[in-house]
Amino acid sequence: MQAIVRACIAEGWPARVAAIIANRANAEGLAFAQENGIVTAVVPSQGKTREAFDTELAAEIDRHQPDLVVLAGFMRILTPAFTEHYAGRLLNIHPSLLPAFPGLQTHARALEAGCKVVGATVHFVTAELDHGPYILQAALPVRAGDTSETLAERILPLEHIIYPRAVRWFVEDRLVVADGRVTLTPGADGTPDPQWFFGENA
Protein backbone atom coordinates (compact mmCIF):
# COMPACT_ATOMS: atom_id res chain seq x y z
CA MET A 1 0.00 0.00 0.00
CA GLN A 2 2.76 2.41 0.93
CA ALA A 3 4.56 1.71 -2.35
CA ILE A 4 1.39 2.50 -4.30
CA VAL A 5 0.73 5.74 -2.41
CA ARG A 6 4.33 6.89 -2.86
CA ALA A 7 4.32 6.06 -6.57
CA CYS A 8 1.04 7.89 -7.09
CA ILE A 9 2.53 11.03 -5.58
CA ALA A 10 6.04 10.79 -7.02
CA GLU A 11 4.91 9.93 -10.57
CA GLY A 12 2.02 12.39 -10.63
CA TRP A 13 -0.71 9.94 -11.56
CA PRO A 14 -4.01 11.44 -12.70
CA ALA A 15 -5.59 10.03 -9.55
CA ARG A 16 -5.66 10.27 -5.78
CA VAL A 17 -5.92 7.69 -3.03
CA ALA A 18 -9.43 8.28 -1.68
CA ALA A 19 -9.15 6.23 1.51
CA ILE A 20 -7.30 3.45 3.31
CA ILE A 21 -9.62 0.95 4.98
CA ALA A 22 -8.58 -1.83 7.36
CA ASN A 23 -10.33 -4.49 9.39
CA ARG A 24 -7.96 -4.04 12.34
CA ALA A 25 -7.55 -0.76 14.21
CA ASN A 26 -3.84 -1.49 14.79
CA ALA A 27 -3.01 -2.04 11.12
CA GLU A 28 0.28 -0.28 10.40
CA GLY A 29 -1.01 1.18 7.15
CA LEU A 30 -3.50 3.39 8.99
CA ALA A 31 -0.77 5.42 10.67
CA PHE A 32 1.05 5.83 7.36
CA ALA A 33 -2.18 7.02 5.71
CA GLN A 34 -2.88 9.54 8.42
CA GLU A 35 0.67 10.87 8.21
CA ASN A 36 0.09 11.45 4.49
CA GLY A 37 -3.29 13.11 4.86
CA ILE A 38 -5.31 10.18 3.54
CA VAL A 39 -8.75 9.44 4.96
CA THR A 40 -8.86 6.20 6.98
CA ALA A 41 -11.59 3.91 8.24
CA VAL A 42 -11.78 0.68 10.22
CA VAL A 43 -14.43 -1.94 9.57
CA PRO A 44 -13.94 -4.65 12.24
CA SER A 45 -14.34 -8.20 11.01
CA GLN A 46 -14.07 -10.11 14.29
CA GLY A 47 -17.21 -11.94 15.32
CA LYS A 48 -19.01 -11.33 12.01
CA THR A 49 -19.96 -13.67 9.22
CA ARG A 50 -18.13 -13.18 5.93
CA GLU A 51 -21.36 -11.94 4.38
CA ALA A 52 -22.05 -9.40 7.13
CA PHE A 53 -18.48 -8.09 7.10
CA ASP A 54 -18.33 -7.81 3.31
CA THR A 55 -21.61 -5.89 3.29
CA GLU A 56 -20.27 -3.40 5.83
CA LEU A 57 -16.94 -3.15 4.03
CA ALA A 58 -18.61 -2.47 0.68
CA ALA A 59 -20.77 0.23 2.25
CA GLU A 60 -17.68 1.97 3.63
CA ILE A 61 -15.82 1.65 0.32
CA ASP A 62 -18.74 2.99 -1.69
CA ARG A 63 -18.97 5.98 0.60
CA HIS A 64 -15.69 7.15 -0.97
CA GLN A 65 -16.86 6.44 -4.56
CA PRO A 66 -13.60 4.89 -5.80
CA ASP A 67 -12.96 3.95 -9.41
CA LEU A 68 -10.61 1.20 -8.24
CA VAL A 69 -10.32 -0.96 -5.11
CA VAL A 70 -6.86 -2.31 -4.31
CA LEU A 71 -6.26 -5.15 -1.86
CA ALA A 72 -2.91 -4.75 -0.08
CA GLY A 73 -2.06 -7.07 2.76
CA PHE A 74 -5.74 -7.89 3.13
CA MET A 75 -5.71 -11.56 4.07
CA ARG A 76 -9.39 -12.40 3.89
CA ILE A 77 -11.44 -14.47 1.47
CA LEU A 78 -14.11 -12.23 -0.06
CA THR A 79 -17.63 -13.37 -0.87
CA PRO A 80 -18.82 -13.75 -4.47
CA ALA A 81 -21.29 -10.90 -3.91
CA PHE A 82 -18.43 -8.57 -2.94
CA THR A 83 -16.19 -9.52 -5.85
CA GLU A 84 -19.10 -9.21 -8.28
CA HIS A 85 -19.96 -5.76 -6.94
CA TYR A 86 -16.43 -4.58 -7.82
CA ALA A 87 -15.91 -6.72 -10.91
CA GLY A 88 -13.38 -5.17 -13.25
CA ARG A 89 -12.16 -2.66 -10.65
CA LEU A 90 -10.76 -4.84 -7.87
CA LEU A 91 -7.05 -5.73 -7.86
CA ASN A 92 -4.91 -8.04 -5.76
CA ILE A 93 -1.30 -9.22 -5.68
CA HIS A 94 -0.32 -12.80 -4.89
CA PRO A 95 3.23 -14.02 -4.10
CA SER A 96 3.42 -16.73 -6.75
CA LEU A 97 3.36 -17.06 -10.51
CA LEU A 98 -0.32 -17.80 -10.79
CA PRO A 99 -2.02 -20.09 -11.56
CA ALA A 100 0.65 -21.92 -9.55
CA PHE A 101 0.20 -22.10 -5.77
CA PRO A 102 -2.93 -20.10 -4.99
CA GLY A 103 -3.78 -19.72 -1.32
CA LEU A 104 -1.33 -19.75 1.58
CA GLN A 105 2.25 -20.99 2.12
CA THR A 106 3.13 -20.29 -1.51
CA HIS A 107 6.90 -20.18 -1.02
CA ALA A 108 7.07 -23.40 0.98
CA ARG A 109 4.95 -25.16 -1.63
CA ALA A 110 7.12 -23.85 -4.46
CA LEU A 111 10.26 -25.12 -2.75
CA GLU A 112 8.66 -28.48 -2.02
CA ALA A 113 7.69 -28.79 -5.68
CA GLY A 114 11.26 -28.05 -6.77
CA CYS A 115 10.43 -24.86 -8.69
CA LYS A 116 13.38 -23.17 -10.37
CA VAL A 117 11.57 -19.83 -10.77
CA VAL A 118 9.15 -18.07 -8.41
CA GLY A 119 7.52 -14.66 -8.35
CA ALA A 120 4.39 -12.59 -7.90
CA THR A 121 1.25 -11.80 -9.89
CA VAL A 122 -1.04 -8.78 -9.99
CA HIS A 123 -4.51 -9.77 -11.09
CA PHE A 124 -8.13 -8.72 -11.23
CA VAL A 125 -10.11 -10.36 -8.44
CA THR A 126 -12.93 -12.80 -9.12
CA ALA A 127 -14.93 -15.10 -6.87
CA GLU A 128 -12.34 -17.87 -7.36
CA LEU A 129 -9.52 -17.56 -4.82
CA ASP A 130 -6.33 -16.02 -6.25
CA HIS A 131 -7.62 -16.22 -9.80
CA GLY A 132 -8.86 -13.65 -12.25
CA PRO A 133 -7.23 -12.10 -15.32
CA TYR A 134 -3.50 -11.59 -14.82
CA ILE A 135 -2.17 -8.06 -15.35
CA LEU A 136 1.54 -8.23 -14.56
CA GLN A 137 3.99 -10.81 -13.26
CA ALA A 138 7.50 -10.67 -11.84
CA ALA A 139 9.83 -13.63 -11.51
CA LEU A 140 13.19 -14.51 -10.05
CA PRO A 141 15.30 -17.68 -9.89
CA VAL A 142 15.35 -19.90 -6.84
CA ARG A 143 18.81 -20.01 -5.32
CA ALA A 144 20.49 -22.94 -3.60
CA GLY A 145 19.70 -22.68 0.08
CA ASP A 146 16.60 -20.54 -0.37
CA THR A 147 13.92 -20.85 2.32
CA SER A 148 10.36 -19.60 2.52
CA GLU A 149 11.69 -16.60 4.42
CA THR A 150 14.43 -15.71 1.94
CA LEU A 151 12.07 -16.08 -1.00
CA ALA A 152 9.53 -13.80 0.66
CA GLU A 153 12.28 -11.25 1.36
CA ARG A 154 13.56 -11.35 -2.24
CA ILE A 155 10.13 -11.25 -3.87
CA LEU A 156 8.78 -8.33 -1.82
CA PRO A 157 10.82 -5.64 -3.67
CA LEU A 158 9.45 -7.00 -6.95
CA GLU A 159 5.91 -6.70 -5.57
CA HIS A 160 6.66 -3.06 -4.77
CA ILE A 161 7.57 -2.55 -8.43
CA ILE A 162 4.76 -4.36 -10.19
CA TYR A 163 1.79 -3.48 -8.00
CA PRO A 164 2.13 0.31 -8.38
CA ARG A 165 2.83 -0.19 -12.08
CA ALA A 166 -0.36 -2.22 -12.58
CA VAL A 167 -2.44 0.28 -10.61
CA ARG A 168 -1.05 3.10 -12.72
CA TRP A 169 -1.98 1.24 -15.90
CA PHE A 170 -5.54 0.95 -14.62
CA VAL A 171 -5.62 4.65 -13.72
CA GLU A 172 -4.39 5.50 -17.21
CA ASP A 173 -7.13 3.29 -18.72
CA ARG A 174 -4.59 1.09 -20.47
CA LEU A 175 -5.92 -2.32 -19.38
CA VAL A 176 -8.30 -4.15 -21.71
CA VAL A 177 -9.87 -7.40 -20.51
CA ALA A 178 -11.34 -9.80 -23.06
CA ASP A 179 -11.96 -13.54 -22.81
CA GLY A 180 -10.26 -13.66 -19.42
CA ARG A 181 -7.01 -12.11 -20.68
CA VAL A 182 -5.56 -8.66 -20.07
CA THR A 183 -4.07 -6.65 -22.92
CA LEU A 184 -2.04 -3.53 -22.23
CA THR A 185 -2.42 -0.65 -24.67
CA PRO A 186 0.67 1.47 -25.52
CA GLY A 187 1.56 4.42 -23.32
CA ALA A 188 1.25 8.08 -24.27
CA ASP A 189 4.55 7.94 -26.16
CA GLY A 190 3.44 4.87 -28.07
CA THR A 191 6.02 2.65 -26.40
CA PRO A 192 4.71 -0.78 -25.31
CA ASP A 193 5.39 -1.90 -21.75
CA PRO A 194 6.17 -5.56 -20.95
CA GLN A 195 3.65 -7.34 -18.75
CA TRP A 196 6.38 -9.26 -16.99
CA PHE A 197 9.48 -8.37 -14.98
CA PHE A 198 12.44 -10.63 -14.26
CA GLY A 199 14.51 -9.81 -11.20
CA GLU A 200 17.64 -11.79 -11.97
CA ASN A 201 19.63 -10.35 -9.10
CA ALA A 202 16.78 -9.55 -6.71
Side-chain angles (χ1 to χ4, degrees):
M1 180 273 288
Q2 295 183 27
I4 292 169
V5 170
R6 292 189 174 114
C8 180
I9 296 170
E11 298 172 8
W13 298 356
R16 67 178 180 87
V17 179
I20 303 296
I21 303 171
N23 65 322
R24 293 185 294 105
N26 63 345
E28 292 183 14
L30 295 175
F32 171 84
Q34 291 164 357
E35 291 169 2
N36 286 271
I38 302 172
V39 173
T40 63
V42 177
V43 180
S45 57
Q46 190 170 7
K48 299 174 184 174
T49 65
R50 285 175 53 198
E51 291 76 12
F53 170 71
D54 282 7
T55 297
E56 291 183 29
L57 178 61
E60 178 60 36
I61 292 172
D62 290 348
R63 199 168 65 81
H64 303 280
Q65 300 181 310
D67 297 304
L68 175 66
V69 178
V70 180
L71 304 177
F74 193 69
M75 304 294 289
R76 287 185 60 87
I77 297 175
L78 298 165
T79 58
F82 185 95
T83 58
E84 179 60 30
H85 181 63
Y86 297 106
R89 56 191 183 109
L90 179 61
L91 301 187
N92 186 39
I93 190 166
H94 183 73
S96 80
L97 294 173
L98 292 174
F101 311 117
L104 301 176
Q105 300 180 331
T106 55
H107 305 313
R109 291 156 61 198
L111 289 172
E112 184 178 352
C115 290
K116 307 304 181 187
V117 177
V118 293
T121 304
V122 183
H123 63 98
F124 283 101
V125 177
T126 63
E128 187 175 359
L129 179 65
D130 292 330
H131 282 73
Y134 309 140
I135 299 170
L136 180 60
Q137 292 183 305
L140 53 77
V142 176
R143 295 173 178 168
D146 261 329
T147 64
S148 296
E149 292 73 23
T150 61
L151 285 183
E153 182 179 332
R154 293 172 58 216
I155 290 172
L156 186 60
L158 300 185
E159 295 183 38
H160 290 172
I161 293 172
I162 66 173
Y163 212 178
R165 188 175 300 180
V167 173
R168 179 171 181 171
W169 288 345
F170 183 97
V171 166
E172 294 175 341
D173 199 26
R174 295 181 57 194
L175 302 177
V176 179
V177 183
D179 298 324
R181 296 177 180 270
V182 178
T183 301
L184 178 65
T185 61
D189 61 358
T191 304
D193 292 273
Q195 286 181 269
W196 54 269
F197 181 89
F198 195 76
E200 178 69 39
N201 298 315

